[in-house]
Amino acid sequence: MGKLIRLELYNFKSYKGHHTLLIGDSYFTSVIGPNGSGKSNSMDVISFVLGIKSSHLRSTHLRDLVYRGRVLRTATINGDGSATAKIPNGSVNGDAGSDDEATQRSTQERNDPKSAWVTAVYEDDAGDEQFWKRTITNQGVSEYRINDRTVTAQQYNEALEAENILIKARNFLVFQGDVEAIASQSPRDLTRLIEQISGSLEYKAEYERLKEVQDEALDHQNYSLHKRRGINSELKQYEEQKREAESYSRKADERDQAIVTHILWKLYNFQKVIEESGADIQRHHEELKEQRRNVEKYENDLEEAKKEQTKVSRDISKVEKTIKSKERDIATKENGVVPLSEKIDLARKSATTCDKRVADISKERDGHATSVKRSTKDLKTVEKAQSQWESKCRKLAEQEGRELSDTDLQEYHRLRED
């Protein structure tokens, strides 16, 4: 923590010329003394060099802080050590315009100083001395210097704030009566004073602005939190939907695989049935060929039997004609011709034999006709089974979207022609 070593002042208020006020090595210094001893002026010196406005230095204008001899000769000392000037026209301090004109006129008459300055020698934490100087003219113009380097008022205040000397908070001086005034203040006023001394009052507007920003940030945070919870809820819902979609997709794949397996199984069975049916068809074709050959044989036998029957019928007709002729002859020669009767008996026996032969051939013909009918019926049954199988294969191909290739069609037509 730094401390004030001394004060050097020149023509400041009641101090004419150059003066040095030694403060000492203490970090806390009290200025005491009777009324009129200059306590308030000492406080004004410190306040002035630290950049406090003239309204807090018991002066209306900064130019009033420049030493004026007229004040010492004609002023009245107040109870707090200040001086009140008496104007020759009988008014005290008069109005602003007449006072300024009188002051300038009296200053020109007495050749009073035209400027005043105060230098504070300050020792920082590192033990280095810093020189803070403030100069004013009788025109009210101020000049600031730090270690003999001219700076602006803002730079001057920033340098003081760097040493924790807050001008607005006035946390470096305790004026006369401040203790009693502080003790009689309400809690709210004490809080305001503490905030002023600590410098936090200066940031009230910034604090309120930041408080609003904080409230907005909290509202935004609550909104974002609520939104985040909503998003998390939606994410959980989407994840559940994703799991359901993945499960559905997996089940759909399993279903498709099962359908494919089932179709392959059906195709395998159909192929097996087709192969078996092809073998049956081939067998039936072979049987059909055999039946056709048998039919042709039976038809040939039938033709031969018909020819033989025709021949026998002609022979029978001839024999009958002969018999009739012989019977006529016998009728005429009843008892005269015995050998002819024997011939007739032989002819009749021969006719009986021929009739039996004709009956046997007719029976064989009927048996062959029955066999032909049975073979024809079997052929129709095979053709009907073939037609049903082909219709079933076409329907299955239409349902499964499969068509017969050219090779299959050629094989089918070849088998059908056979």
Side-chain angles (χ1 to χ4, degrees):
M1 183 176 67
K3 60 183 177 180
L4 186 63
I5 301 300
R6 64 180 181 275
L7 294 170
E8 296 182 3
L9 52 152
Y10 177 75
N11 290 332
F12 183 80
K13 294 191 77 170
S14 61
Y15 296 95
K16 181 180 181 181
H18 185 272
H19 295 272
T20 301
L21 300 180
L22 299 177
I23 304 301
D25 296 333
S26 176
Y27 288 97
F28 185 85
T29 303
S30 299
V31 180
I32 60 176
N35 293 338
S37 60
K39 299 188 299 299
S40 298
N41 286 344
S42 300
M43 301 294 283
D44 290 342
V45 168
I46 298 174
S47 300
F48 171 77
V49 73
L50 295 179
I52 294 180
K53 297 180 180 179
S54 61
S55 59
H56 299 288
L57 300 177
R58 300 177 299 130
S59 297
T60 305
H61 304 287
L62 285 176
R63 62 173 176 266
D64 296 336
L65 300 177
V66 181
Y67 172 80
R68 293 180 293 176
R70 175 180 63 82
V71 175
L72 295 179
R73 289 192 295 271
T74 61
T76 300
I77 303 301
N78 298 324
D80 58 356
S82 61
T84 302
K86 294 182 179 180
I87 306 302
N89 58 9
S91 64
V92 179
N93 286 340
D95 54 38
S98 60
D99 183 58
D100 292 343
E101 294 176 358
T103 299
Q104 292 178 1
R105 185 169 54 253
S106 61
T107 299
Q108 292 175 358
E109 292 175 355
R110 296 188 306 275
N111 195 19
D112 286 341
K114 299 184 181 298
S115 64
W117 54 263
V118 176
T119 300
V121 181
Y122 177 81
E123 182 179 319
D124 57 15
D125 296 337
D128 298 331
E129 291 186 353
Q130 298 183 14
F131 295 88
W132 295 338
K133 182 177 181 180
R134 182 182 181 185
T135 304
I136 58 170
T137 64
N138 56 2
Q139 302 298 324
V141 179
S142 295
E143 181 187 44
Y144 299 91
R145 288 177 175 270
I146 299 177
N147 297 327
D148 292 333
R149 180 173 58 87
T150 303
V151 295
T152 62
Q154 183 178 358
Q155 293 173 344
Y156 196 79
N157 289 332
E158 291 176 355
L160 292 173
E161 289 177 0
E163 297 294 334
N164 200 25
I165 300 174
L166 307 179
I167 303 303
K168 295 181 180 180
R170 297 175 61 186
N171 60 348
F172 48 85
L173 289 176
V174 180
F175 289 91
Q176 184 177 3
D178 284 351
V179 176
E180 291 82 357
I182 292 172
S184 62
Q185 286 182 353
S186 63
R188 182 183 296 274
D189 294 336
L190 283 174
T191 302
R192 181 179 178 83
L193 178 63
I194 293 172
E195 291 178 351
Q196 181 180 1
I197 293 174
S198 64
S200 60
L201 187 62
E202 180 182 356
Y203 302 101
K204 181 179 180 181
E206 181 69 13
Y207 171 79
E208 292 178 353
R209 185 185 67 80
L210 294 176
K211 186 69 168 58
E212 293 179 356
V213 173
Q214 182 186 11
D215 294 339
E216 292 178 358
L218 288 175
D219 293 339
H220 181 69
Q221 181 182 5
N222 293 331
Y223 172 76
S224 300
L225 182 61
H226 181 70
K227 186 175 180 181
R228 181 179 180 183
R229 289 176 179 173
I231 292 174
N232 290 333
S233 177
E234 291 179 0
L235 285 176
K236 291 181 180 178
Q237 184 178 359
Y238 291 150
E239 289 176 355
E240 184 66 24
Q241 292 178 357
K242 180 183 177 183
R243 285 194 295 270
E244 291 179 358
E246 290 177 350
S247 177
Y248 174 79
S249 178
R250 187 171 59 254
K251 297 293 184 182
D253 293 338
E254 293 177 357
R255 180 202 61 190
D256 295 340
Q257 186 64 32
I259 291 174
V260 171
T261 303
H262 180 66
I263 291 174
L264 291 175
W265 177 79
K266 290 174 67 176
L267 289 175
Y268 170 76
N269 290 327
F270 288 152
Q271 185 67 29
K272 188 176 180 181
V273 171
I274 289 171
E275 292 176 356
E276 293 177 354
S277 300
D280 292 339
I281 290 171
Q282 185 67 27
R283 182 171 53 81
H284 286 305
H285 277 296
E286 296 294 333
E287 292 178 355
L288 181 59
K289 289 179 181 179
E290 185 67 23
Q291 293 294 333
R292 285 177 178 175
R293 285 193 295 269
N294 293 331
V295 168
E296 290 177 357
K297 180 180 178 182
Y298 292 145
E299 287 178 352
N300 293 329
D301 294 339
L302 181 61
E303 289 295 329
E304 291 178 357
K306 284 180 178 181
K307 289 178 181 180
E308 187 176 356
Q309 183 183 6
T310 302
K311 183 179 179 182
V312 171
S313 296
R314 284 195 302 268
D315 292 339
I316 290 171
S317 296
K318 290 178 179 181
V319 170
E320 287 179 351
K321 287 178 181 181
T322 302
I323 290 171
K324 287 179 179 181
S325 178
K326 294 297 182 179
E327 284 179 353
R328 285 191 302 267
D329 291 338
I330 291 170
T332 60
K333 299 176 179 181
E334 288 181 353
N335 298 314
V337 184
V338 175
L340 290 175
S341 298
E342 294 177 356
K343 289 182 180 179
I344 290 170
D345 292 335
L346 292 174
R348 285 178 178 176
K349 290 180 181 179
S350 179
T352 303
T353 304
C354 289
D355 289 336
K356 289 181 180 180
R357 178 63 178 167
V358 170
D360 293 336
I361 292 173
S362 297
K363 189 182 292 185
E364 289 180 2
R365 182 192 63 185
D366 294 337
H368 288 312
T370 304
S371 178
V372 169
K373 288 181 181 180
R374 186 171 59 253
S375 299
T376 304
K377 185 177 180 180
D378 292 339
L379 178 62
K380 289 181 179 180
T381 303
V382 171
E383 290 177 349
K384 184 177 180 180
Q386 181 181 1
S387 177
Q388 290 179 354
W389 177 79
E390 290 175 353
S391 176
K392 186 175 180 181
C393 288
R394 276 197 304 274
K395 289 182 180 179
L396 180 61
E398 290 177 358
Q399 291 178 358
E400 297 179 357
R402 187 175 69 85
E403 296 181 357
L404 295 177
S405 63
D406 295 337
T407 304
D408 295 335
L409 290 174
Q410 292 175 2
E411 180 66 18
Y412 167 73
H413 290 303
R414 186 183 65 79
L415 293 175
R416 186 172 182 181
E417 289 174 358
D418 292 339

